[in-house]
Amino acid sequence: RERNLLRLIVDTTPLTIVALDVEGRQMLANSEAQRVFRDELPGDSPDFTNSQFFISPEIYRRWLKHQHRVLSQGGLNAPNPTLVEVVSFLNQRGETQWRQVTFVPIFTESGDYTGVLNISENITQRAVMQGALEYQATHDSMTGLPNRRLLLGQIGDAMAQSPLPALAILFCDLDQFKWVNDSLGHDMGDRLLQEDAIETLRRELLPIATIVTPNLPEAALLTGTPIADTKTDINHQAEAILKAGAKAV
């Protein structure tokens, strides 16, 4: 009776639960895991021995390293025996699905290691909401451009990671922009920052500009390229602005 109740609980949980032996062979897969294998994962059912269950070879290698640490530090009594990873994959509908995967080593009462319990939870909605919140915190709501917070963070990262002794930061401003906001209203000022205004800026002002000093996101908009993250990219964007007609960048 207890075994039937336990199986009922395992099969009704919204989590996928898979037990693998020490050779990577499947010992148990609950109903949700079988549904995900059938309806979500692209292609044929995964081969557990080559780590295809939601996880990349890199994550699988991390699990093997973690497993070795657990076994070498006392197995059942080792500190922090579980490993948690967040992974994503494209399901059969072409949608990105995010899952939090927990690896739990399985030991007998006598302490013998017999395999691993692989438990995963669909956290796609949570990941999408978190991504939206992070985007809102680091981008201007009207233009979609990176804001000061993201810019300062990227500058800090670049300074920490760059092998170069100095970094190029391109700065751009709109003359009399405050006057436009104060006299014509912020709605009119907002229109200057939208896509059609940016295209007008490329077409009408760059050819007659004496000097153009855009920051990294603005240089990307003016040249229609991704935001530069190397000195070479910065030089290419500056050359593109010069070719558009500006006398200096």
Side-chain angles (χ1 to χ4, degrees):
R1 182 178 177 182
E2 290 182 356
R3 178 173 295 182
N4 290 337
L5 178 60
L6 179 60
R7 182 69 202 197
L8 179 63
I9 293 172
V10 169
D11 276 337
T12 55
T13 178
L15 307 177
T16 67
I17 300 177
V18 175
L20 308 177
D21 66 15
V22 292
E23 300 297 330
R25 295 185 295 260
Q26 178 183 333
M27 298 187 293
L28 175 147
N30 72 342
S31 296
E32 177 64 8
Q34 295 176 40
R35 184 197 66 79
V36 170
F37 300 159
R38 182 183 65 248
D39 300 335
E40 299 291 342
L41 289 182
D44 298 329
S45 296
D47 178 0
F48 295 103
T49 61
N50 63 13
S51 74
Q52 293 297 311
F53 181 44
F54 303 139
I55 56 178
S56 67
E58 179 183 354
I59 292 177
Y60 188 63
R61 284 193 293 271
R62 286 206 291 270
W63 158 248
L64 293 178
K65 183 177 180 180
H66 177 84
Q67 174 183 265
H68 176 75
R69 180 191 66 77
V70 169
L71 295 178
S72 64
Q73 294 182 355
L76 186 61
N77 299 316
N80 303 316
T82 62
L83 174 69
V84 179
E85 297 279 355
V86 175
V87 301
S88 65
F89 63 91
L90 287 178
N91 63 21
Q92 294 179 15
R93 297 179 297 279
E95 303 164 341
T96 299
Q97 184 172 131
W98 291 86
R99 284 189 170 267
Q100 178 173 289
V101 184
T102 303
F103 301 87
V104 184
I106 304 172
F107 294 95
T108 64
E109 292 183 358
S110 60
D112 295 327
Y113 177 65
T114 61
V116 57
L117 195 63
N118 186 316
I119 306 170
S120 82
E121 176 187 5
N122 188 338
I123 60 168
T124 302
Q125 185 175 6
R126 189 192 316 168
V128 170
M129 292 178 63
Q130 182 178 347
L133 290 174
E134 290 176 353
Y135 184 88
Q136 292 173 9
T138 56
H139 291 76
D140 180 80
S141 60
M142 194 271 296
T143 63
L145 292 174
N147 60 17
R148 181 187 298 271
R149 178 179 178 182
L150 181 60
L151 176 62
L152 292 177
Q154 290 180 336
I155 291 175
D157 291 342
M159 292 177 65
Q161 299 173 11
S162 176
L164 302 175
L167 296 174
I169 300 178
L170 305 179
F171 178 79
C172 180
D173 196 9
L174 291 177
D175 291 339
Q176 305 301 322
F177 184 64
K178 184 177 184 300
W179 178 87
V180 174
N181 279 334
D182 292 345
S183 61
L184 302 178
H186 287 275
D187 288 342
M188 187 62 69
D190 289 347
R191 292 181 60 186
L192 289 175
L193 301 177
Q194 295 174 354
E195 182 59 34
D196 56 345
I198 294 172
E199 180 56 36
T200 301
L201 181 66
R202 293 174 184 150
R203 186 179 64 252
E204 301 293 339
L205 295 184
L206 284 184
I208 62 173
T210 300
I211 183 170
V212 179
T213 58
N215 62 25
L216 294 177
E218 291 162 347
L221 286 173
L222 289 174
T223 57
T225 57
I227 295 176
D229 55 10
T230 67
K231 185 176 181 180
T232 299
D233 292 337
I234 292 172
N235 288 336
H236 287 164
Q237 289 181 341
E239 291 170 1
I241 293 173
L242 287 173
K243 289 180 180 178
K247 295 180 178 62
V249 178

